[in-house]
Amino acid sequence: MARGNQGEPTDWVTRAADDAIRHARDVYGEDLGDHVITCASGASPSGPIHLGNLREFLTVHFVAEEIKRRGIAARHLHSWDDYDRFRKVPAGIDPSFADHIGRPLSSVPDPWDCHQSWADHFKAPLQAALAELGVAMEEMSQTERYRAGTYRDQILTAVRRRDDIEQVMAKYRTKQLEGATSAAPESPEEAAALADSVANDDESGLTGLGATDDLARFPFKPYCRECGRDTTIITSYDEDTTDLAYTCQVCAYQGVTNLTTDNEGKLVWKVDWPMRWSVEGVDFEPGGVDHATPGSSYTVGKELVKRVYGGRAPSFVGYSFVGAGGQVKMSSSRGGVPTASDALQILEAPILRWLYVRRQPKQAFNVDFGAEVVRLYDEWDALAKKSADPERSDAQTLAFERASSTSSAGRLPTPAVVVPFRLLSSVADVTAGSAELISTIIGNVGYEHASVADLEPRLGKAMTWTSEYVPTEDRTTVRETPDADRLGALNEDEELWLRQLLDRMPDDLHLDDTTALIYGVPKLARGLGLDDAPTDQVKQDQKDFFRLLYNLLVDADRGPRLPTLFLALGAEKIRTLLTPPS
RNA sequence: GGGCCCCUAGCUCAAUUGGCAGAGCAGAGGACUUUUAAUCCUUUGGUUGUGGGUUCGAGUCCCACGGGGCCUACCA
């Protein structure tokens, strides 16, 4: 470990990796034996996996990469919490899906019918995005694990030790219990939250009707054998036979599941998490800051893993929320939140990675899909230039390196010829979406390149950004048809300019000639040559002439540079728009 | 009730285990035949929310206060 060296820049990744390694050495010994340092992430595929959720994956990814970089064996283990219950039907989904509430996400059908299940439908796009981002991880499905009985011993342990578990949980349970429902809500939000929690109680049937306190706080919850929902109330548990009897609140089924022989349920979340730490040997696992607050899952889990499983909680960092655009907080149950795939439509993979690595996890930030994108690319390009010089190595260039390559994917794709994003998007703005044409114009304005491929992946992202995210009022709209009124009302000068322009404009346009021609037309009209220096009169004429052209071409007084606009539209289109319809 | 984050130029924000307060945009000036939110150069702009403390040194660490925001308590 090259720590403490003056020359080695450090960042939050370095420190998190230090912690993970220290954790592993404390548990497995200085030489680690054959233990592979395990960095774990977890996510519930209950809806679109948005840019806030992405932080879970990337935080773990960067730390695992750093450990590997030091030559220590490490893995990124990801748990899909697809055995969690389906909680509510998101807006925009067929309300009849309410029927599935309480079933595991992996047992709810895909509303769009393109995947095996609800869970798979939301996993798939993220898996694709992670592949593009160069994130390689071992994935496991909690549904498979639970159904295979992998956790049977741990479940039996938890049930046997449920009094200890309850003690720990109770320690963090403050007052409330009643109180809350009778107290007058102080705000609409609070009222809504209350209503929500009451509704949840109703549907989950946890209010312990008729059940003893002991059974009401049971750490294991069975899914109903008949209807598959977790709307079960435990009615008895036999310590010797491990028979667990329950009644389903929804379908009224009364059944018995045996914890030693059947695999029909799961541990409650606050026990499930520490259980997995101990089973998988997790050395590092981040969580949203909400998981880190006192009484929440991490603090409770930390005690439980020690007391119940004799394990040690992984090193932890809490990360803050990632917003999009102007919004600060996203909810996965609300439709329309941007996902990693959305961001990758407009950002090169290393840039998206960079957004997540350059800030401390605790710092909240936004991924902006608006005008900030241009600046982001500019900053990135400047950083790339700086990073090329080893003498200037610092925390920023370290972030650049972390963003740019991974141990499994190598250097992630960037364009062979780097053209400012601003330029690509403004050319794309007026070229009706043809990559070939954009490439030609880009070449003409000084960015030599062999083919369209040399501009990718940036070109495609610039085209998408321009067409999907630039507001219409900021875009250039080329006229479909000539402006007959304006063309019919030309004064003498204007008529002369247009005629001379069209007479001299070739069918095949080149940038330099076109530039000379456009600036030269007003000179010709004053009896000068194309190459003569302009007089003040000509300069004024140029302004008027340019405005006329913008009026006729794009219905505005100003616009993109005319020579490039001409090349983008092509001679034929220009001719059409500058000639009165007959 | 508890926890966390933020407050830095007119605006949006950087400053990564304490080390010369910095960019972009906006503003001003200039150059390129120059109309353009597609060029380049120069330049203005600061008591880092307030008050204390630690330190040779604080935007950064500690305490208090003010303002803004997020999370949390039952359940997963």
Side-chain angles (χ1 to χ4, degrees):
Chain A
M1 279 201 294
R3 295 265 286 125
N5 256 348
Q6 297 290 338
E8 284 289 318
T10 59
D11 59 6
W12 67 266
V13 184
T14 318
R15 293 189 287 276
D18 287 348
D19 289 347
I21 294 168
R22 190 175 309 121
H23 179 277
R25 289 196 165 134
D26 284 351
V27 176
Y28 303 94
E30 254 332 274
D31 64 354
L32 295 177
D34 56 2
H35 176 72
V36 175
I37 294 187
T38 297
C39 304
S41 58
S44 180
S46 57
I49 296 169
H50 54 65
L51 291 166
N53 304 136
L54 183 61
R55 202 162 199 180
E56 169 86 10
F57 295 81
L58 290 181
T59 302
V60 175
H61 167 75
F62 288 123
V63 172
E65 287 287 316
E66 169 64 17
I67 297 170
K68 287 185 209 168
R69 202 173 76 138
R70 300 184 193 176
I72 300 172
R75 62 171 179 161
H76 175 177
L77 178 69
H78 178 76
S79 294
W80 286 110
D81 295 329
D82 52 10
Y83 205 43
D84 287 1
R85 73 195 304 260
F86 180 60
R87 300 188 66 192
K88 59 179 168 184
V89 184
I93 303 297
D94 184 345
S96 72
F97 266 75
D99 190 47
H100 295 294
I101 286 173
R103 297 198 172 113
L105 293 167
S106 51
S107 299
V108 177
D110 177 357
W112 295 270
D113 271 336
C114 44
H115 294 87
Q116 287 280 318
S117 68
W118 181 280
D120 284 354
H121 180 88
F122 293 110
K123 279 185 206 177
L126 186 81
Q127 286 165 328
L130 288 176
E132 188 173 343
L133 287 166
V135 175
M137 55 191 197
E138 280 176 39
E139 297 177 55
M140 63 185 194
S141 152
Q142 288 308 306
T143 301
E144 287 172 19
R145 293 273 163 144
Y146 268 107
R147 293 232 170 103
T150 312
Y151 304 132
R152 177 169 305 137
D153 291 347
Q154 287 74 24
I155 291 171
L156 289 169
T157 302
V159 168
R160 211 179 317 116
R161 305 287 301 280
R162 62 184 179 278
D163 288 346
D164 290 328
I165 293 174
E166 172 55 18
Q167 261 184 36
V168 173
M169 303 259 233
K171 199 162 75 181
Y172 292 100
R173 253 190 306 263
T174 42
K175 40 184 181 174
Q176 209 196 334
L177 286 192
E178 65 267 80
T181 22
S182 52
E186 287 171 17
S187 68
E189 291 76 23
E190 203 171 315
L194 260 173
D196 193 32
S197 73
V198 170
N200 275 349
D201 279 355
D202 281 347
E203 77 204 13
S204 63
L206 268 182
T207 32
L209 308 167
T212 67
D213 272 0
D214 173 47
L215 296 179
R217 303 280 188 203
F218 213 72
F220 179 89
K221 171 165 284 203
Y223 279 112
C224 172
R225 189 175 297 166
E226 183 68 20
C227 73
R229 300 186 186 89
D230 73 343
T231 47
T232 49
I233 291 187
I234 296 168
T235 50
S236 71
Y237 178 67
D238 185 319
E239 216 75 48
D240 299 326
T241 62
T242 71
D243 271 340
L244 180 79
Y246 61 89
T247 302
C248 179
Q249 290 257 279
V250 171
C251 73
Y253 176 81
Q254 303 196 357
V256 174
T257 184
N258 186 284
L259 299 189
T260 312
T261 56
D262 298 323
N263 306 307
E264 298 179 300
K266 69 189 292 286
L267 291 172
V268 298
W269 162 244
K270 282 180 183 172
V271 183
D272 179 87
W273 204 16
M275 177 277 288
R276 267 146 49 192
W277 292 339
S278 80
V279 173
E280 305 296 345
V282 176
D283 298 299
F284 170 73
E285 182 160 357
V289 284
D290 50 322
H291 287 313
T293 138
S296 203
S297 33
Y298 181 77
T299 34
V300 172
K302 194 170 172 171
E303 279 201 50
L304 289 181
V305 72
K306 192 165 163 191
R307 197 150 154 187
V308 178
Y309 295 111
R312 180 161 173 179
S315 61
F316 178 88
V317 304
Y319 54 81
S320 295
F321 289 90
V322 177
Q327 286 177 318
V328 175
K329 157 91 168 111
M330 295 181 289
S331 156
S332 49
S333 59
R334 191 170 54 219
V337 292
T339 63
S341 314
D342 295 330
L344 286 169
Q345 296 282 304
I346 61 170
L347 299 178
E348 291 169 11
I351 298 185
L352 185 56
R353 291 167 61 89
W354 183 51
L355 288 175
Y356 286 81
V357 78
R358 69 175 174 162
R359 293 220 170 69
Q360 314 258 7
K362 259 200 263 188
Q363 205 170 348
F365 68 94
N366 287 334
V367 178
D368 197 294
F369 284 71
E372 286 286 295
V373 170
V374 173
R375 179 180 153 195
L376 183 64
Y377 269 93
D378 284 347
E379 281 183 23
W380 171 255
D381 288 344
L383 179 59
K385 209 169 288 178
K386 175 179 174 183
S387 301
D389 180 359
E391 292 298 308
R392 303 178 67 190
S393 152
D394 63 8
Q396 288 179 359
T397 61
L398 177 61
F400 177 84
E401 283 308 317
R402 295 198 196 284
S404 298
S405 62
T406 76
S407 57
S408 57
R411 292 205 90 78
L412 296 165
T414 50
V417 176
V418 174
V419 178
F421 188 83
R422 177 193 311 279
L423 176 59
L424 291 174
S425 76
S426 55
V427 173
D429 185 29
V430 294
T431 46
S434 158
E436 287 294 339
L437 183 53
I438 295 171
S439 164
T440 305
I441 296 168
I442 293 297
N444 278 335
V445 297
Y447 291 90
E448 295 295 332
H449 59 282
S451 69
V452 171
D454 281 350
L455 303 180
E456 297 293 5
R458 184 171 296 193
L459 175 57
K461 310 211 187 269
M463 289 169 68
T464 304
W465 182 72
T466 307
S467 62
E468 306 292 321
Y469 294 98
V470 176
T472 326
E473 62 267 26
D474 291 343
R475 297 202 50 186
T476 303
T477 36
V478 178
R479 285 191 63 93
E480 301 273 329
T481 56
D483 185 343
D485 291 347
R486 184 73 178 86
L487 285 166
L490 297 174
N491 65 32
E492 241 174 76
D493 282 344
E494 292 170 339
E495 208 168 320
L496 180 63
W497 292 332
L498 288 184
R499 198 168 64 240
Q500 295 207 327
L501 176 71
L502 294 178
D503 283 351
R504 287 165 178 266
M505 186 178 69
D507 289 337
D508 194 11
L509 298 176
H510 296 280
L511 190 68
D512 291 346
D513 299 344
T514 307
T515 306
L517 179 63
I518 291 171
Y519 285 104
V521 161
K523 299 179 196 168
L524 297 175
R526 295 281 171 190
L528 299 172
L530 279 185
D531 295 328
D532 292 336
T535 62
D536 287 348
Q537 180 65 57
V538 164
K539 284 189 175 178
Q540 184 54 51
D541 287 353
Q542 284 174 334
K543 284 186 202 288
D544 295 340
F545 178 48
F546 293 150
R547 174 181 300 226
L548 172 67
L549 290 175
Y550 285 121
N551 288 164
L552 293 172
L553 297 174
V554 297
D555 253 345
D557 287 344
R558 311 195 297 192
R561 275 188 156 245
L562 285 166
T564 41
L565 181 61
F566 269 49
L567 264 68
L569 298 184
E572 193 187 331
K573 180 83 176 173
I574 299 286
R575 238 177 254 289
T576 307
L577 291 176
L578 299 185
T579 308
S582 46

